[in-house]
Amino acid sequence: MDFRNTLSGRRSFLGSLGLAPFFMTRGAFAQALTETPSVTEGPFYPDKMPLDTDNDLLMINDSITPAIGEITLLSGRVLKPSGEPVRNAFVEIWQCDANGSYRHSKGTIPTADTNFQGYGRFMTDSKGGYFFRTIKPVAYTLSNVPRSPHIHIAVSTNGRRVLTTQIGILGDPLNAKDLVLKNLDSKTLSTLMINFPPLPESNIGELTANFDLVLGRTAFEDEEGKLRGTIGKPEGFQGL
């Protein structure tokens, strides 16, 4: 299922509610935006891509059975440090399903939700905007390692991965004991934690989440902002 076909209407709806900041042009910035910190990719980036890799993780191709979980509309923009949008950036997300199972041969459990896509991708628009329909992340334990709820995000430009990070739920009590998050300083951690408020007037209990991705200066070749860049893991990258 290609969610791009219904994206225009959804964006208009969110925009009318003031929930689509990537639709608006930012004004001048007094100083550079804070670079989004990198966080380990983790071991469960898909080792075999699902047949459906669009931005709607709740429906696989022409299936009529949606994934289980709290429906979440995740949006944001990919930006340069100056605040300028980065168009045609390749944004990927991946996460476990509501039962704690990934789309990965070593991260799959018997109770996996086979209706959850687990991975999605989106090419940013002229305003740097991206959009996914997914589920609110849940905690899980795999290979005896507990993790607090999180979504993995990666950005590639000109065929090269330039950012890999994770976002979590602001105030989740499991964050303090999380194997990855507990090693981050408080300032870094605060930039990766977001709220998942209800979508106003939604009849099906949808949630929203917004997260802007600010690429660091190392993602650019020159002062004109020409991006350098492979979609996928950086060469020699080792995740936890």
Side-chain angles (χ1 to χ4, degrees):
M1 176 180 177
D2 188 351
F3 203 56
R4 287 177 181 269
N5 293 334
T6 58
L7 184 57
S8 178
R10 171 62 72 183
R11 280 180 172 169
S12 297
F13 177 55
L14 293 179
S16 69
L17 296 173
L19 294 171
F22 56 81
F23 240 175
M24 298 178 285
T25 302
R26 295 194 177 202
F29 283 78
Q31 58 186 15
L33 297 177
T34 300
E35 175 183 348
T36 299
S38 296
V39 179
T40 179
E41 180 184 80
F44 301 125
Y45 181 87
D47 51 358
K48 182 179 180 181
M49 285 294 170
L51 296 178
D52 190 356
T53 59
D54 68 3
N55 64 325
D56 184 1
L57 280 66
L58 300 183
M59 301 293 293
I60 298 179
N61 291 323
D62 296 324
S63 172
I64 60 173
T65 305
I68 59 174
E70 295 184 88
I71 300 174
T72 298
L73 309 178
L74 172 63
S75 64
R77 295 197 301 170
V78 178
L79 304 168
K80 300 178 184 180
S82 63
E84 297 175 78
V86 180
R87 64 181 303 174
N88 296 329
F90 186 85
V91 182
E92 302 171 274
I93 69 168
W94 64 101
Q95 66 185 104
C96 71
D97 63 28
N99 296 324
S101 182
Y102 276 89
R103 284 277 178 169
H104 188 282
S105 58
K106 295 182 179 181
T108 300
I109 60 176
T111 57
D113 179 5
T114 57
N115 294 308
F116 185 58
Q117 190 170 296
Y119 169 91
R121 55 179 62 164
F122 191 90
M123 194 73 73
T124 58
D125 60 23
S126 61
K127 294 180 174 61
Y130 71 86
F131 182 91
F132 292 94
R133 193 169 78 122
T134 185
I135 63 171
K136 184 179 181 181
V138 300
Y140 66 85
T141 297
L142 289 171
S143 301
N144 295 317
V145 177
R147 289 296 315 274
S148 61
H150 61 280
I151 298 175
H152 300 264
I153 302 182
V155 180
S156 297
T157 57
N158 292 343
R160 180 177 182 272
R161 175 82 73 84
V162 294
L163 176 65
T164 305
T165 195
Q166 300 177 25
I167 57 174
I169 301 174
L170 183 65
D172 191 285
L174 296 178
N175 290 340
K177 297 181 179 180
D178 183 85
L179 177 66
V180 174
L181 301 182
K182 70 180 183 180
N183 292 320
L184 303 178
D185 61 75
S186 58
K187 182 178 180 181
T188 297
L189 183 61
S190 67
T191 65
L192 299 174
M193 297 294 105
I194 60 175
N195 288 309
F196 289 75
L199 177 65
E201 301 180 8
S202 172
N203 294 323
I204 55 176
E206 295 166 295
L207 306 177
T208 64
N210 181 262
F211 188 74
D212 285 347
L213 296 144
V214 181
L215 302 183
R217 296 187 181 280
T218 55
F220 300 91
E221 281 189 336
D222 51 41
E223 294 299 320
E224 283 68 46
K226 180 181 179 183
L227 292 175
R228 62 180 173 85
T230 297
I231 294 171
K233 302 178 183 179
E235 185 176 353
F237 185 87
Q238 297 294 323
L240 295 176

